[in-house]
Amino acid sequence: MIFSSPDPAGDPYLARAVLSLQRASYAVEADLIGDHRLPPLQEDQHQLAAWRGRWVLAWDGVDLVGAVAWSETESHLEIEKLMIGPAAMRRGIGSALLGRVVACASGRRVLVTTGRDNVPAVSLYRKHGFAHEADVRVPPGIWISRLALAGSA
């Protein structure tokens, strides 16, 4: 596994590859929660490239198999997206990417939201020490769970 930290805004080919991965990954979540109106499935290449934050991408040779994107402030990091290609799921890529984000936290609080009924994602975060904080119903009726890394500031 090779990790890189490019900005998709700087490379249209990379932005297309990340968008393709995002659509495939979030389609799995949409099936799990029973709603295909998830914002990452509505995003286009320009919206993806316009987002300003940090990225780490996971490559298996020349194949993009995973990505994580987060924003950060002085007090916390917020994981915005964690995506794994369906063919690469259950190979530890999500754990490896999550570890990269946590390593950047430097003691700051780490937050994430995911579909409440996305059992694999909730299980991944709990396995890495995240604790459930709240369930929130977001328009138009999608339930999400907010989790925070236990022990983070």
Side-chain angles (χ1 to χ4, degrees):
M1 195 67 43
I2 298 169
F3 296 97
S4 65
S5 298
D7 182 353
D11 182 345
Y13 169 79
L14 184 60
R16 283 191 300 275
V18 172
L19 183 62
S20 178
L21 173 71
Q22 177 173 296
R23 288 183 176 157
S25 178
Y26 281 94
V28 172
E29 180 173 14
D31 288 342
L32 289 169
I33 68 171
D35 198 320
H36 285 260
R37 296 174 292 171
L38 297 174
L41 291 175
Q42 311 309 314
E43 201 169 50
D44 65 24
Q45 180 179 332
H46 299 291
Q47 291 165 317
L48 182 135
W51 181 79
R52 306 309 324 140
R54 294 186 60 189
W55 290 89
V56 172
L57 308 181
W59 301 88
D60 186 1
V62 297
D63 297 323
L64 179 62
V65 294
V68 63
W70 71 96
S71 58
E72 53 187 288
T73 68
E74 287 184 27
S75 64
H76 71 277
L77 274 65
E78 178 94 22
I79 298 171
E80 305 288 342
K81 300 175 184 184
L82 177 61
M83 55 188 108
I84 310 301
M89 290 180 176
R90 313 230 15 108
R91 290 180 24 201
I93 298 165
S95 290
L97 289 168
L98 191 55
R100 299 254 172 175
V101 175
V102 171
C104 291
S106 300
R108 291 175 285 177
R109 189 168 158 86
V110 181
L111 305 168
V112 67
T113 57
T114 190
R116 180 185 66 185
D117 297 326
N118 184 347
V119 174
V122 171
S123 295
L124 172 71
Y125 295 121
R126 286 191 174 161
K127 172 181 157 185
H128 290 281
F130 284 76
H132 181 266
E133 288 194 331
D135 289 330
V136 179
R137 186 175 179 191
V138 293
I142 298 171
W143 282 95
I144 60 171
S145 290
R146 183 163 190 81
L147 300 107
L149 183 59
S152 62

Short mmCIF file of all heavy atoms in Angstrom, two decimals, residues 85-113:
data_model
loop_
_atom_site.label_atom_id
_atom_site.label_comp_id
_atom_site.label_asym_id
_atom_site.label_seq_id
_atom_site.Cartn_x
_atom_site.Cartn_y
_atom_site.Cartn_z
N GLY A 85 -12.76 1.76 -1.94
CA GLY A 85 -13.37 1.12 -3.10
C GLY A 85 -14.00 -0.20 -2.70
O GLY A 85 -13.42 -0.94 -1.90
N PRO A 86 -15.18 -0.50 -3.20
CA PRO A 86 -15.87 -1.74 -2.79
C PRO A 86 -15.01 -3.00 -2.92
O PRO A 86 -15.06 -3.86 -2.04
CB PRO A 86 -17.09 -1.79 -3.72
CG PRO A 86 -17.38 -0.34 -3.99
CD PRO A 86 -16.02 0.31 -4.10
N ALA A 87 -14.20 -3.11 -3.95
CA ALA A 87 -13.37 -4.31 -4.12
C ALA A 87 -12.22 -4.36 -3.11
O ALA A 87 -11.63 -5.42 -2.91
CB ALA A 87 -12.81 -4.35 -5.54
N ALA A 88 -11.93 -3.24 -2.46
CA ALA A 88 -10.81 -3.18 -1.51
C ALA A 88 -11.27 -3.16 -0.05
O ALA A 88 -10.44 -3.07 0.85
CB ALA A 88 -9.96 -1.94 -1.80
N MET A 89 -12.57 -3.25 0.17
CA MET A 89 -13.08 -3.20 1.54
C MET A 89 -12.64 -4.44 2.32
O MET A 89 -12.41 -5.49 1.75
CB MET A 89 -14.60 -3.08 1.54
CG MET A 89 -15.07 -1.74 1.07
SD MET A 89 -16.88 -1.61 1.06
CE MET A 89 -17.04 0.11 0.58
N ARG A 90 -12.51 -4.26 3.64
CA ARG A 90 -12.16 -5.33 4.57
C ARG A 90 -10.72 -5.81 4.40
O ARG A 90 -10.41 -6.95 4.67
CB ARG A 90 -13.16 -6.49 4.49
CG ARG A 90 -14.59 -6.00 4.50
CD ARG A 90 -15.59 -6.56 5.40
NE ARG A 90 -15.26 -7.34 6.53
CZ ARG A 90 -15.36 -6.93 7.80
NH1 ARG A 90 -15.76 -5.73 8.07
NH2 ARG A 90 -15.10 -7.74 8.79
N ARG A 91 -9.85 -4.87 3.97
CA ARG A 91 -8.43 -5.19 3.83
C ARG A 91 -7.57 -4.33 4.75
O ARG A 91 -6.35 -4.33 4.63
CB ARG A 91 -7.97 -4.98 2.39
CG ARG A 91 -8.54 -6.00 1.43
CD ARG A 91 -8.13 -5.84 -0.02
NE ARG A 91 -6.89 -5.16 -0.26
CZ ARG A 91 -6.59 -4.59 -1.43
NH1 ARG A 91 -7.43 -4.64 -2.45
NH2 ARG A 91 -5.42 -3.96 -1.58
N GLY A 92 -8.19 -3.57 5.66
CA GLY A 92 -7.44 -2.74 6.59
C GLY A 92 -7.10 -1.34 6.08
O GLY A 92 -6.42 -0.59 6.77
N ILE A 93 -7.58 -1.00 4.90
CA ILE A 93 -7.27 0.30 4.32
C ILE A 93 -7.92 1.42 5.12
O ILE A 93 -7.29 2.45 5.41
CB ILE A 93 -7.68 0.35 2.83
CG1 ILE A 93 -6.90 -0.70 2.05
CG2 ILE A 93 -7.49 1.75 2.25
CD1 ILE A 93 -7.45 -1.00 0.67
N GLY A 94 -9.17 1.23 5.52
CA GLY A 94 -9.86 2.24 6.33
C GLY A 94 -9.13 2.47 7.65
O GLY A 94 -8.94 3.61 8.08
N SER A 95 -8.70 1.41 8.29
CA SER A 95 -7.93 1.54 9.54
C SER A 95 -6.64 2.30 9.32
O SER A 95 -6.26 3.16 10.11
CB SER A 95 -7.62 0.16 10.12
OG SER A 95 -8.79 -0.45 10.61
N ALA A 96 -5.94 1.99 8.23
CA ALA A 96 -4.67 2.66 7.94
C ALA A 96 -4.89 4.16 7.69
O ALA A 96 -4.14 5.00 8.19
CB ALA A 96 -3.98 2.01 6.75
N LEU A 97 -5.92 4.49 6.93
CA LEU A 97 -6.21 5.90 6.66
C LEU A 97 -6.64 6.63 7.93
O LEU A 97 -6.22 7.76 8.18
CB LEU A 97 -7.28 6.01 5.57
CG LEU A 97 -6.83 5.62 4.16
CD1 LEU A 97 -8.03 5.48 3.24
CD2 LEU A 97 -5.82 6.62 3.61
N LEU A 98 -7.46 5.98 8.72
CA LEU A 98 -7.90 6.57 9.98
C LEU A 98 -6.70 6.83 10.89
O LEU A 98 -6.61 7.88 11.53
CB LEU A 98 -8.92 5.65 10.65
CG LEU A 98 -9.68 6.18 11.82
CD1 LEU A 98 -10.40 7.48 11.49
CD2 LEU A 98 -10.70 5.13 12.28
N GLY A 99 -5.77 5.90 10.92
CA GLY A 99 -4.55 6.08 11.71
C GLY A 99 -3.75 7.29 11.26
O GLY A 99 -3.17 8.00 12.09
N ARG A 100 -3.74 7.56 9.98
CA ARG A 100 -3.03 8.74 9.47
C ARG A 100 -3.66 10.03 9.97
O ARG A 100 -2.96 10.97 10.32
CB ARG A 100 -3.02 8.72 7.94
CG ARG A 100 -2.31 7.52 7.36
CD ARG A 100 -1.00 7.92 6.82
NE ARG A 100 -0.26 6.73 6.43
CZ ARG A 100 0.89 6.80 5.84
NH1 ARG A 100 1.40 7.96 5.55
NH2 ARG A 100 1.54 5.72 5.53
N VAL A 101 -4.99 10.07 10.01
CA VAL A 101 -5.67 11.27 10.50
C VAL A 101 -5.39 11.45 11.98
O VAL A 101 -5.04 12.55 12.43
CB VAL A 101 -7.19 11.20 10.25
CG1 VAL A 101 -7.90 12.39 10.87
CG2 VAL A 101 -7.50 11.11 8.77
N VAL A 102 -5.54 10.39 12.75
CA VAL A 102 -5.33 10.47 14.20
C VAL A 102 -3.90 10.92 14.50
O VAL A 102 -3.67 11.72 15.41
CB VAL A 102 -5.68 9.13 14.88
CG1 VAL A 102 -5.26 9.12 16.33
CG2 VAL A 102 -7.18 8.86 14.74
N ALA A 103 -2.93 10.47 13.71
CA ALA A 103 -1.55 10.88 13.91
C ALA A 103 -1.36 12.38 13.70
O ALA A 103 -0.47 12.99 14.30
CB ALA A 103 -0.62 10.10 12.98
N CYS A 104 -2.18 12.98 12.87
CA CYS A 104 -2.10 14.43 12.61
C CYS A 104 -2.80 15.25 13.69
O CYS A 104 -2.65 16.47 13.74
CB CYS A 104 -2.73 14.76 11.25
SG CYS A 104 -1.78 14.15 9.86
N ALA A 105 -3.57 14.59 14.53
CA ALA A 105 -4.38 15.31 15.52
C ALA A 105 -3.55 15.97 16.61
O ALA A 105 -3.96 17.00 17.16
CB ALA A 105 -5.41 14.38 16.15
N SER A 106 -2.44 15.41 16.96
CA SER A 106 -1.56 15.96 18.00
C SER A 106 -2.34 16.31 19.27
O SER A 106 -2.22 17.41 19.81
CB SER A 106 -0.83 17.20 17.48
OG SER A 106 -0.04 16.87 16.36
N GLY A 107 -3.19 15.38 19.72
CA GLY A 107 -3.94 15.58 20.95
C GLY A 107 -5.24 16.34 20.79
O GLY A 107 -6.01 16.46 21.75
N ARG A 108 -5.49 16.87 19.60
CA ARG A 108 -6.76 17.57 19.38
C ARG A 108 -7.90 16.57 19.27
O ARG A 108 -7.71 15.40 18.96
CB ARG A 108 -6.70 18.42 18.10
CG ARG A 108 -5.77 19.61 18.23
CD ARG A 108 -5.66 20.34 16.92
NE ARG A 108 -4.80 19.57 16.01
CZ ARG A 108 -4.55 19.91 14.76
NH1 ARG A 108 -5.09 21.01 14.25
NH2 ARG A 108 -3.76 19.16 14.01
N ARG A 109 -9.09 17.03 19.51
CA ARG A 109 -10.29 16.22 19.39
C ARG A 109 -10.47 15.80 17.93
O ARG A 109 -10.22 16.58 17.02
CB ARG A 109 -11.46 17.07 19.86
CG ARG A 109 -12.76 16.41 20.02
CD ARG A 109 -13.69 17.38 20.78
NE ARG A 109 -15.08 17.09 20.56
CZ ARG A 109 -15.77 16.22 21.27
NH1 ARG A 109 -15.19 15.56 22.24
NH2 ARG A 109 -17.04 16.01 21.02
N VAL A 110 -10.89 14.55 17.69
CA VAL A 110 -11.14 14.05 16.34
C VAL A 110 -12.61 13.66 16.27
O VAL A 110 -13.09 12.87 17.08
CB VAL A 110 -10.25 12.83 15.99
CG1 VAL A 110 -10.53 12.36 14.57
CG2 VAL A 110 -8.78 13.17 16.17
N LEU A 111 -13.32 14.25 15.32
CA LEU A 111 -14.75 14.04 15.16
C LEU A 111 -15.05 13.43 13.80
O LEU A 111 -14.32 13.67 12.82
CB LEU A 111 -15.49 15.37 15.27
CG LEU A 111 -15.24 16.18 16.54
CD1 LEU A 111 -15.78 17.59 16.39
CD2 LEU A 111 -15.85 15.47 17.73
N VAL A 112 -16.15 12.69 13.74
CA VAL A 112 -16.59 12.13 12.47
C VAL A 112 -18.10 11.92 12.53
O VAL A 112 -18.67 11.71 13.62
CB VAL A 112 -15.86 10.80 12.16
CG1 VAL A 112 -16.24 9.69 13.14
CG2 VAL A 112 -16.10 10.36 10.72
N THR A 113 -18.75 11.97 11.39
CA THR A 113 -20.15 11.58 11.28
C THR A 113 -20.25 10.51 10.21
O THR A 113 -19.48 10.51 9.24
CB THR A 113 -21.08 12.76 10.92
OG1 THR A 113 -20.65 13.34 9.69
CG2 THR A 113 -21.10 13.81 12.01
#
